[in-house]
Amino acid sequence: MQVTRTLSPKAMAMNAKYGICLFRNDLRIHDNEVLNVANQKSDFLIPLYCFDPRHYKGTYHFGFPKTGKYRASFIIDSVVDLRSAIQSLGSKLIVRHGKPENVIQELIRNLNLKDVTVFLQEESMDEEKRVERAIQTKCNVAIESLWGHTLYHVEDLPFQPKHLPDVYTEFRKRVENRAVIRKCFPTPSSLKPLPPDIDEGKMPTLADLELSEPEKNAQSAFPFPGGESSGLQRLHDYLWGTDSVSSYKETRNGMIGSDYSTKFSTWLAHGCISPRKIYWEIKKYEKERTSNQSTYWVIFELIWRDYFRFVGLKFGNKLFYPGGIKGEDVRWRSDKEQFNAWKEGRTGVPYVDANMREMAATGFMSNRGRQNVASFLTKDLKLDWRLGAEWFESLLLDHDVCSNYGNWLYSAGLGNDPRENRKFNVVKQGLDYDADGDYVRLWVPELAAVKTGKVHCVWTLSPSVLQAAGVTLGETYPRPIVTAPEWSRHVNRPGSSGGGRGKGGASGQSRGRGQGSSSHRGHGSNSQYPGQKRGIDFYFSGSS
């Protein structure tokens, strides 16, 4: 390991250039253009991470904790890992608890720095851009922002962001046919020295952030620690260690365990791993082992993630408006009791409840689950989609503002969905993707004795069956707070246990469209694999 290099004040040139590399959602040293450029252009470099207290306050409309304990714990892990990586390059990560504009102003004043440039990754939404403006005005420094969060660089798009297609399929075809994916930036061999007399700073605890310690849950589908090291290890294991990537398309709609999908989303959301790193590693895998629909499908999902980032860039704060980017005047219902039942997993609809309880207990929910609980909130309960988006923002490990709000708008019919009034039949979906009810029994233990897929429509069971299972509706488990007429077509499915992997259970294949079908966000044929249908995905993230 290299020794940290500092120079005495006498040795410092009077015209030295000072760089501050402000890490935000790019907590890595691989494929990090900001770090590379900052290191090249500075004589003295301060790698800096700020635990911004604004990230740990309430959400905008409803005041849920903006960053809950699961994501905060992952972020702390990631910053600890970044600190170790920076140390391996001969420097130190400076950590502070405060607003970046205040922290940088204090560093400049205390160290008497001149000719300072702040290097950072460009973000697309106003909240992050306000921080950039505050740094520039309050600290009187130059800002150099660089794009680095997406697979396709914004400068390489075959159109201006303001002309982004409003349908994903058109976007995908145009970038696949006309845009290039850049190579990864090399990791610097060493970093420029720190200015002398700079305090490294102490890592905050969850208690310092006014959060409780999350309990370990053995049932979690995401048992991984935060950080670049664990993200790169997961990438290696999912491709080279287990070959799971070669069957991703067949397993991606699973519900239980860590290997039914990539789980890359959380590392991507915090920049612990680069989407380009994933892309080029898959290309290497395709060359050396196998290339099939599954390996392409991971890239396909990365492009979806890009799309929502560019949607945010195009529409800005419209992502947060009640009427979404379509600007529709929707009269959402207001029912606090029903919303609380939804967020606590007490709706009386087992598939919805199981997913909401998994997220509450672990900070993670599958892609399939996210689609269904979002549809249930907005289409069955007809409650404000922003309630769901902000609750997800609070709890999810992999919250990414553009993907989260873009997907919620999509589910609410206010985003980039070319079809009108798309709705999920949550009973059919439960039977399709949790055919025997194992997932429901895992997360709704009061229904553990209800055998087979009948658990998905427990309110239709006879008193004798309920009694034998120890279930009393309205007491040990709630009656449904709402029922939809289309559910009745599936509650008497033979054994209520059909579906399975061989019958569309977790295949990711289309089973029809419209009400009662699995929703499909893309349309038309895939250019590489004709005839394949696409499903809606809550972040590449979400399916991951």
Side-chain angles (χ1 to χ4, degrees), residues 82-154:
L82 179 63
R83 174 169 268 183
S84 177
I86 294 292
Q87 187 174 3
S88 73
L89 300 181
S91 187
K92 293 179 180 178
L93 178 68
I94 307 306
V95 174
R96 296 289 187 270
H97 188 186
K99 298 177 181 178
E101 58 267 33
N102 294 340
V103 169
I104 291 171
Q105 184 183 51
E106 183 179 354
L107 284 172
I108 292 172
R109 182 175 59 245
N110 291 348
L111 298 172
N112 194 28
L113 302 182
K114 310 293 182 183
D115 194 5
V116 178
T117 301
V118 176
F119 301 87
L120 46 77
Q121 180 173 273
E122 182 179 349
E123 293 288 343
S124 55
M125 302 310 296
D126 185 58
E127 186 175 296
E128 291 76 16
K129 288 182 177 295
R130 284 201 305 268
V131 173
E132 297 171 20
R133 292 193 294 268
I135 293 171
Q136 192 164 27
T137 57
K138 189 166 188 175
C139 304
N140 192 29
V141 295
I143 298 279
E144 187 162 346
S145 60
L146 298 159
W147 191 265
H149 198 68
T150 53
L151 181 63
Y152 289 98
H153 197 286
V154 66

Coordinates of all heavy atoms in Angstrom, one line a residue, residues 82-154:
L82 N -15.0 3.0 -0.3 CA -14.4 4.1 -1.2 C -13.1 4.6 -0.5 O -12.1 4.9 -1.1 CB -15.3 5.2 -1.5 CG -14.8 6.3 -2.4 CD1 -14.4 5.8 -3.7 CD2 -15.8 7.4 -2.5
R83 N -13.3 4.8 0.8 CA -12.1 5.4 1.6 C -10.9 4.4 1.5 O -9.8 4.8 1.3 CB -12.5 5.6 3.1 CG -11.4 6.0 4.0 CD -11.9 6.4 5.3 NE -12.1 7.9 5.3 CZ -12.5 8.6 6.4 NH1 -12.8 8.0 7.5 NH2 -12.6 9.9 6.3
S84 N -11.2 3.1 1.6 CA -10.1 2.1 1.4 C -9.5 2.2 0.1 O -8.3 2.1 -0.1 CB -10.7 0.7 1.8 OG -9.7 -0.3 1.6
A85 N -10.4 2.3 -1.0 CA -9.9 2.3 -2.4 C -9.0 3.6 -2.6 O -8.0 3.5 -3.2 CB -11.0 2.3 -3.3
I86 N -9.4 4.7 -2.1 CA -8.7 6.0 -2.2 C -7.3 5.8 -1.5 O -6.3 6.3 -2.0 CB -9.5 7.2 -1.7 CG1 -10.7 7.4 -2.5 CG2 -8.6 8.4 -1.6 CD1 -10.5 7.9 -3.9
Q87 N -7.3 5.2 -0.4 CA -6.1 5.0 0.4 C -5.1 4.1 -0.4 O -3.9 4.4 -0.4 CB -6.4 4.3 1.7 CG -5.1 4.3 2.6 CD -5.5 3.8 4.0 OE1 -6.6 3.4 4.3 NE2 -4.5 3.7 4.9
S88 N -5.6 3.2 -1.2 CA -4.8 2.3 -2.0 C -4.1 3.1 -3.1 O -3.1 2.6 -3.7 CB -5.6 1.1 -2.6 OG -6.4 1.6 -3.6
L89 N -4.7 4.3 -3.5 CA -4.1 5.1 -4.5 C -3.2 6.2 -3.9 O -2.8 7.1 -4.6 CB -5.2 5.7 -5.3 CG -6.2 4.8 -6.1 CD1 -7.2 5.5 -6.8 CD2 -5.4 3.8 -7.0
G90 N -2.9 6.1 -2.6 CA -1.9 7.0 -2.0 C -2.5 8.3 -1.5 O -1.8 9.3 -1.3
S91 N -3.8 8.3 -1.2 CA -4.4 9.5 -0.7 C -5.4 9.1 0.4 O -5.4 8.0 0.9 CB -5.1 10.3 -1.8 OG -5.6 11.5 -1.4
K92 N -6.3 10.0 0.7 CA -7.3 9.8 1.7 C -8.6 10.4 1.3 O -8.7 11.4 0.6 CB -6.9 10.4 3.1 CG -5.7 9.7 3.8 CD -5.4 10.4 5.1 CE -4.2 9.8 5.8 NZ -3.9 10.5 7.1
L93 N -9.7 9.7 1.6 CA -11.1 10.3 1.4 C -11.4 11.1 2.6 O -11.5 10.6 3.7 CB -12.1 9.2 1.2 CG -13.5 9.6 1.0 CD1 -13.7 10.4 -0.4 CD2 -14.5 8.5 1.0
I94 N -11.7 12.4 2.3 CA -12.1 13.3 3.4 C -13.6 13.2 3.5 O -14.4 13.3 2.5 CB -11.7 14.8 3.0 CG1 -10.2 14.8 2.7 CG2 -12.0 15.7 4.2 CD1 -9.3 14.3 3.7
V95 N -14.1 12.9 4.7 CA -15.5 12.7 5.0 C -16.0 13.8 5.9 O -15.3 14.1 7.0 CB -15.7 11.3 5.6 CG1 -17.2 11.2 6.0 CG2 -15.3 10.2 4.6
R96 N -17.1 14.4 5.6 CA -17.7 15.4 6.4 C -19.2 15.2 6.5 O -19.8 14.6 5.6 CB -17.5 16.8 5.9 CG -16.0 17.2 5.8 CD -15.5 17.5 7.2 NE -14.2 18.1 7.2 CZ -13.0 17.4 7.2 NH1 -13.1 16.1 7.3 NH2 -11.9 18.0 7.2
H97 N -19.8 15.6 7.6 CA -21.3 15.6 7.8 C -21.8 17.0 7.7 O -21.6 17.8 8.6 CB -21.6 15.0 9.1 CG -23.1 14.7 9.3 ND1 -23.7 14.3 10.5 CD2 -24.1 14.9 8.4 CE1 -25.0 14.2 10.3 NE2 -25.3 14.5 9.1
G98 N -22.3 17.4 6.5 CA -22.8 18.7 6.3 C -23.1 19.0 4.8 O -22.8 18.1 4.0
K99 N -23.7 20.1 4.5 CA -24.0 20.5 3.1 C -22.7 20.7 2.4 O -21.8 21.4 2.9 CB -24.9 21.7 3.1 CG -26.2 21.5 3.8 CD -27.0 22.9 3.8 CE -28.3 22.7 4.5 NZ -29.1 24.0 4.5
P100 N -22.6 20.2 1.2 CA -21.4 20.3 0.4 C -20.9 21.8 0.2 O -19.7 22.0 0.4 CB -21.7 19.7 -1.0 CG -22.7 18.7 -0.6 CD -23.6 19.3 0.4
E101 N -21.8 22.7 0.0 CA -21.4 24.1 -0.2 C -20.8 24.7 1.1 O -19.9 25.5 1.0 CB -22.6 24.9 -0.7 CG -23.8 24.9 0.3 CD -24.9 23.9 -0.1 OE1 -24.5 22.8 -0.5 OE2 -26.1 24.1 0.2
N102 N -21.3 24.2 2.3 CA -20.8 24.7 3.5 C -19.4 24.0 3.8 O -18.5 24.7 4.3 CB -21.7 24.4 4.7 CG -23.0 25.2 4.6 OD1 -23.0 26.3 3.8 ND2 -24.0 24.8 5.2
V103 N -19.4 22.7 3.5 CA -18.1 22.0 3.8 C -17.0 22.5 2.9 O -15.9 22.7 3.4 CB -18.3 20.5 3.5 CG1 -17.0 19.7 3.5 CG2 -19.3 19.9 4.6
I104 N -17.2 22.7 1.7 CA -16.2 23.2 0.7 C -15.8 24.6 1.1 O -14.6 24.9 1.1 CB -16.7 23.1 -0.7 CG1 -16.8 21.6 -1.1 CG2 -15.8 23.8 -1.7 CD1 -17.5 21.4 -2.5
Q105 N -16.7 25.5 1.5 CA -16.4 26.8 1.9 C -15.4 26.8 3.1 O -14.5 27.5 3.2 CB -17.6 27.6 2.2 CG -17.4 29.0 2.6 CD -18.7 29.8 3.0 OE1 -19.4 29.3 3.8 NE2 -18.9 30.9 2.4
E106 N -15.7 25.9 4.0 CA -14.9 25.8 5.3 C -13.5 25.2 4.9 O -12.5 25.7 5.5 CB -15.6 24.9 6.3 CG -14.9 24.7 7.6 CD -15.6 23.9 8.6 OE1 -16.8 23.4 8.3 OE2 -15.1 23.6 9.7
L107 N -13.4 24.2 4.0 CA -12.1 23.7 3.7 C -11.3 24.8 3.0 O -10.1 24.9 3.3 CB -12.3 22.5 2.7 CG -12.8 21.2 3.3 CD1 -13.1 20.2 2.1 CD2 -11.7 20.6 4.2
I108 N -11.9 25.5 2.1 CA -11.1 26.6 1.4 C -10.6 27.6 2.4 O -9.4 28.1 2.4 CB -12.0 27.3 0.3 CG1 -12.3 26.2 -0.8 CG2 -11.3 28.5 -0.2 CD1 -13.3 26.7 -1.8
R109 N -11.5 28.0 3.3 CA -11.1 29.0 4.3 C -10.0 28.5 5.3 O -9.0 29.2 5.5 CB -12.3 29.5 5.1 CG -12.0 30.6 6.1 CD -13.3 31.1 6.8 NE -14.0 30.1 7.5 CZ -15.2 29.7 7.1 NH1 -15.9 30.2 6.1 NH2 -15.9 28.7 7.8
N110 N -10.3 27.3 5.8 CA -9.3 26.8 6.9 C -8.0 26.5 6.3 O -6.9 26.6 7.0 CB -9.9 25.6 7.5 CG -11.1 25.9 8.4 OD1 -11.4 27.1 8.7 ND2 -11.9 24.9 8.8
L111 N -7.9 26.0 5.0 CA -6.7 25.6 4.4 C -6.1 26.7 3.6 O -5.0 26.6 3.0 CB -6.9 24.4 3.6 CG -7.3 23.1 4.3 CD1 -7.7 22.0 3.3 CD2 -6.3 22.6 5.3
N112 N -6.8 27.9 3.5 CA -6.3 29.0 2.8 C -6.0 28.6 1.3 O -4.9 28.9 0.8 CB -5.1 29.7 3.4 CG -4.8 31.0 2.9 OD1 -5.7 31.7 2.4 ND2 -3.5 31.4 2.9
L113 N -6.9 28.0 0.7 CA -6.7 27.5 -0.7 C -7.0 28.5 -1.7 O -8.0 29.3 -1.6 CB -7.6 26.2 -1.0 CG -7.5 25.0 0.0 CD1 -8.4 23.9 -0.5 CD2 -6.0 24.6 0.0
K114 N -6.2 28.6 -2.7 CA -6.4 29.5 -3.9 C -6.6 28.7 -5.2 O -6.1 27.5 -5.2 CB -5.3 30.5 -4.0 CG -4.9 31.2 -2.7 CD -5.9 32.1 -2.2 CE -5.4 32.9 -1.0 NZ -6.5 33.8 -0.4
D115 N -7.2 29.3 -6.2 CA -7.3 28.6 -7.5 C -7.9 27.2 -7.3 O -7.3 26.2 -7.6 CB -6.0 28.5 -8.2 CG -6.1 28.2 -9.7 OD1 -7.2 28.1 -10.1 OD2 -5.1 28.0 -10.3
V116 N -9.1 27.2 -6.9 CA -9.8 25.9 -6.5 C -10.8 25.6 -7.6 O -11.6 26.4 -8.1 CB -10.5 26.0 -5.2 CG1 -11.2 24.7 -4.9 CG2 -9.5 26.3 -4.1
T117 N -10.8 24.3 -8.1 CA -11.9 23.8 -9.0 C -12.5 22.6 -8.3 O -11.9 21.7 -7.8 CB -11.3 23.4 -10.3 OG1 -10.7 24.5 -10.9 CG2 -12.4 22.8 -11.2
V118 N -13.9 22.6 -8.3 CA -14.6 21.4 -7.8 C -15.0 20.6 -9.0 O -15.7 21.1 -9.9 CB -15.8 21.9 -7.0 CG1 -16.7 20.7 -6.6 CG2 -15.4 22.7 -5.8
F119 N -14.6 19.3 -9.0 CA -15.0 18.4 -10.0 C -16.1 17.5 -9.5 O -16.0 16.9 -8.3 CB -13.8 17.5 -10.4 CG -12.6 18.4 -10.9 CD1 -11.7 18.9 -10.0 CD2 -12.4 18.6 -12.3 CE1 -10.6 19.7 -10.5 CE2 -11.4 19.3 -12.7 CZ -10.4 19.9 -11.9
L120 N -17.1 17.3 -10.3 CA -18.2 16.4 -9.8 C -19.0 15.8 -11.0 O -18.8 16.2 -12.1 CB -19.2 17.2 -8.9 CG -19.7 18.6 -9.3 CD1 -20.7 18.5 -10.4 CD2 -20.2 19.3 -8.1
Q121 N -19.7 14.7 -10.7 CA -20.5 14.1 -11.7 C -21.8 14.9 -11.9 O -22.5 15.2 -11.0 CB -20.9 12.7 -11.3 CG -21.7 11.9 -12.3 CD -21.8 10.4 -12.0 OE1 -21.0 9.6 -12.3 NE2 -22.9 10.1 -11.3
E122 N -22.1 15.2 -13.2 CA -23.3 15.9 -13.5 C -24.6 15.1 -13.2 O -24.7 13.9 -13.6 CB -23.3 16.3 -15.0 CG -24.5 17.2 -15.4 CD -24.4 17.6 -16.9 OE1 -23.4 17.4 -17.5 OE2 -25.4 18.1 -17.4
E123 N -25.5 15.8 -12.6 CA -26.8 15.1 -12.3 C -27.9 15.8 -13.2 O -27.7 16.9 -13.7 CB -27.2 15.2 -10.8 CG -26.2 14.4 -9.9 CD -26.4 12.9 -10.0 OE1 -27.5 12.5 -10.5 OE2 -25.6 12.2 -9.6
S124 N -29.1 15.1 -13.3 CA -30.1 15.6 -14.2 C -31.3 16.3 -13.5 O -32.0 17.0 -14.2 CB -30.6 14.4 -15.0 OG -31.1 13.4 -14.2
M125 N -31.4 16.2 -12.2 CA -32.6 16.7 -11.5 C -32.2 18.0 -10.7 O -31.1 18.2 -10.3 CB -33.2 15.7 -10.6 CG -33.6 14.4 -11.3 SD -34.6 14.7 -12.8 CE -36.1 15.4 -12.2
D126 N -33.3 18.8 -10.5 CA -33.1 20.1 -9.9 C -32.5 20.1 -8.5 O -31.6 21.0 -8.2 CB -34.4 20.9 -9.9 CG -34.3 22.3 -9.5 OD1 -33.5 23.1 -10.1 OD2 -34.9 22.7 -8.5
E127 N -32.9 19.2 -7.7 CA -32.4 19.2 -6.3 C -30.8 19.0 -6.3 O -30.1 19.7 -5.5 CB -33.0 18.0 -5.6 CG -32.6 17.9 -4.1 CD -33.4 16.8 -3.4 OE1 -34.6 16.9 -3.3 OE2 -32.8 15.9 -2.9
E128 N -30.3 18.2 -7.1 CA -28.8 18.0 -7.2 C -28.2 19.2 -7.9 O -27.1 19.7 -7.5 CB -28.5 16.7 -8.0 CG -28.9 15.5 -7.3 CD -30.3 15.1 -7.3 OE1 -31.1 15.7 -8.1 OE2 -30.8 14.3 -6.5
K129 N -28.9 19.8 -8.9 CA -28.3 20.9 -9.6 C -28.3 22.2 -8.7 O -27.4 23.0 -8.8 CB -29.1 21.2 -10.9 CG -28.9 20.2 -12.0 CD -29.7 20.6 -13.2 CE -29.4 19.6 -14.4 NZ -28.0 19.6 -14.8
R130 N -29.2 22.3 -7.8 CA -29.2 23.4 -6.8 C -27.9 23.3 -5.9 O -27.4 24.4 -5.6 CB -30.4 23.4 -5.9 CG -31.7 23.9 -6.7 CD -32.7 24.3 -5.7 NE -33.1 23.3 -4.7 CZ -34.1 22.4 -4.9 NH1 -34.8 22.5 -6.0 NH2 -34.4 21.5 -4.0
V131 N -27.5 22.1 -5.6 CA -26.3 22.0 -4.8 C -25.1 22.5 -5.6 O -24.2 23.2 -5.1 CB -26.1 20.5 -4.4 CG1 -24.7 20.3 -3.7 CG2 -27.2 20.0 -3.5
E132 N -25.0 22.1 -6.9 CA -23.9 22.6 -7.7 C -23.9 24.1 -7.8 O -22.8 24.7 -7.7 CB -24.1 22.0 -9.1 CG -24.0 20.5 -9.1 CD -24.3 19.9 -10.5 OE1 -24.3 20.6 -11.5 OE2 -24.7 18.7 -10.6
R133 N -25.1 24.7 -8.0 CA -25.2 26.2 -8.0 C -24.7 26.8 -6.7 O -24.1 27.9 -6.7 CB -26.6 26.6 -8.4 CG -26.9 26.3 -9.9 CD -28.2 27.0 -10.3 NE -29.4 26.6 -9.6 CZ -30.2 25.6 -9.9 NH1 -29.9 24.9 -11.0 NH2 -31.2 25.3 -9.2
A134 N -25.1 26.2 -5.6 CA -24.8 26.7 -4.3 C -23.3 26.7 -4.1 O -22.7 27.6 -3.5 CB -25.5 25.9 -3.2
I135 N -22.6 25.6 -4.5 CA -21.2 25.5 -4.4 C -20.5 26.6 -5.1 O -19.6 27.3 -4.6 CB -20.7 24.1 -4.9 CG1 -21.2 23.0 -4.0 CG2 -19.1 24.1 -4.9 CD1 -20.9 21.6 -4.5
Q136 N -21.0 26.9 -6.4 CA -20.3 27.9 -7.2 C -20.5 29.3 -6.6 O -19.6 30.1 -6.6 CB -20.9 27.8 -8.6 CG -20.2 28.6 -9.7 CD -20.6 28.2 -11.1 OE1 -21.7 27.7 -11.3 NE2 -19.7 28.3 -12.0
T137 N -21.7 29.6 -6.2 CA -21.9 31.0 -5.7 C -21.4 31.2 -4.3 O -20.8 32.2 -4.0 CB -23.5 31.3 -5.7 OG1 -24.2 30.3 -4.9 CG2 -24.0 31.2 -7.1
K138 N -21.6 30.2 -3.4 CA -21.1 30.4 -2.0 C -19.6 30.3 -1.9 O -19.0 31.0 -1.0 CB -21.8 29.4 -1.1 CG -21.6 29.6 0.4 CD -22.6 28.8 1.2 CE -22.5 29.2 2.7 NZ -23.5 28.5 3.5
C139 N -19.0 29.5 -2.7 CA -17.6 29.2 -2.5 C -16.7 30.0 -3.5 O -15.5 30.0 -3.4 CB -17.3 27.7 -2.6 SG -18.3 26.7 -1.5
N140 N -17.3 30.6 -4.5 CA -16.6 31.3 -5.5 C -15.5 30.5 -6.2 O -14.3 30.9 -6.2 CB -16.0 32.6 -4.9 CG -15.5 33.5 -6.0 OD1 -16.0 33.5 -7.1 ND2 -14.5 34.3 -5.7
V141 N -15.9 29.3 -6.6 CA -15.0 28.4 -7.2 C -15.4 28.0 -8.6 O -16.6 28.2 -9.0 CB -14.8 27.1 -6.4 CG1 -14.2 27.4 -5.0 CG2 -16.1 26.4 -6.2
A142 N -14.5 27.5 -9.4 CA -14.9 26.9 -10.7 C -15.5 25.5 -10.5 O -15.1 24.8 -9.6 CB -13.7 26.8 -11.6
I143 N -16.5 25.2 -11.3 CA -17.1 23.9 -11.3 C -16.9 23.2 -12.6 O -17.1 23.8 -13.7 CB -18.7 24.0 -11.0 CG1 -19.0 24.6 -9.7 CG2 -19.3 22.6 -11.1 CD1 -18.9 23.8 -8.5
E144 N -16.4 22.0 -12.6 CA -16.3 21.1 -13.8 C -17.1 19.9 -13.6 O -16.8 19.0 -12.8 CB -14.9 20.8 -14.1 CG -14.7 20.1 -15.4 CD -13.3 20.1 -16.0 OE1 -12.5 20.9 -15.5 OE2 -13.1 19.3 -16.9
S145 N -18.3 19.8 -14.2 CA -19.2 18.7 -14.1 C -19.0 17.8 -15.3 O -19.0 18.3 -16.5 CB -20.6 19.1 -13.9 OG -21.1 19.9 -15.0
L146 N -19.1 16.5 -15.1 CA -18.9 15.5 -16.2 C -20.0 14.5 -16.1 O -20.3 14.0 -15.0 CB -17.5 14.9 -16.0 CG -16.3 15.8 -16.1 CD1 -15.1 15.2 -15.5 CD2 -16.0 16.2 -17.6
W147 N -20.5 14.1 -17.3 CA -21.5 13.1 -17.3 C -21.0 11.7 -17.1 O -20.0 11.3 -17.8 CB -22.2 13.2 -18.7 CG -23.5 12.4 -18.8 CD1 -23.6 11.1 -19.2 CD2 -24.8 12.8 -18.3 NE1 -25.0 10.7 -19.1 CE2 -25.7 11.8 -18.6 CE3 -25.3 14.0 -17.8 CZ2 -27.0 11.9 -18.3 CZ3 -26.6 14.1 -17.5 CH2 -27.5 13.0 -17.7
G148 N -21.6 10.9 -16.3 CA -21.0 9.6 -16.0 C -21.9 8.5 -15.5 O -21.5 7.5 -15.0
H149 N -23.2 8.8 -15.5 CA -24.1 7.9 -14.8 C -24.8 6.9 -15.7 O -25.4 5.9 -15.2 CB -25.2 8.7 -14.1 CG -26.0 8.0 -13.0 ND1 -25.3 7.6 -11.8 CD2 -27.2 7.6 -12.9 CE1 -26.2 7.0 -11.0 NE2 -27.4 7.0 -11.6
T150 N -24.7 7.0 -17.0 CA -25.4 6.2 -17.9 C -24.5 5.3 -18.8 O -23.3 5.6 -18.9 CB -26.3 7.1 -18.8 OG1 -25.5 8.1 -19.4 CG2 -27.4 7.8 -18.0
L151 N -25.1 4.4 -19.4 CA -24.4 3.5 -20.4 C -24.1 4.3 -21.6 O -22.9 4.3 -22.0 CB -25.3 2.3 -20.8 CG -24.8 1.3 -21.7 CD1 -23.6 0.6 -21.1 CD2 -25.8 0.3 -22.1
Y152 N -25.0 5.0 -22.2 CA -24.7 5.9 -23.3 C -24.5 7.3 -22.8 O -25.3 7.9 -22.1 CB -25.9 5.9 -24.3 CG -26.2 4.7 -25.1 CD1 -27.1 3.7 -24.6 CD2 -25.4 4.4 -26.2 CE1 -27.3 2.5 -25.3 CE2 -25.6 3.2 -26.9 CZ -26.6 2.3 -26.5 OH -26.8 1.1 -27.2
H153 N -23.3 7.9 -23.2 CA -23.0 9.2 -22.8 C -24.0 10.2 -23.5 O -24.4 10.0 -24.6 CB -21.6 9.6 -23.2 CG -21.0 10.8 -22.6 ND1 -21.4 12.1 -22.8 CD2 -20.1 10.9 -21.6 CE1 -20.8 12.9 -22.1 NE2 -20.0 12.2 -21.3
V154 N -24.4 11.2 -22.7 CA -25.4 12.1 -23.2 C -25.0 12.8 -24.5 O -25.8 13.1 -25.4 CB -25.8 13.2 -22.1 CG1 -24.6 14.1 -21.8 CG2 -27.0 14.0 -22.6

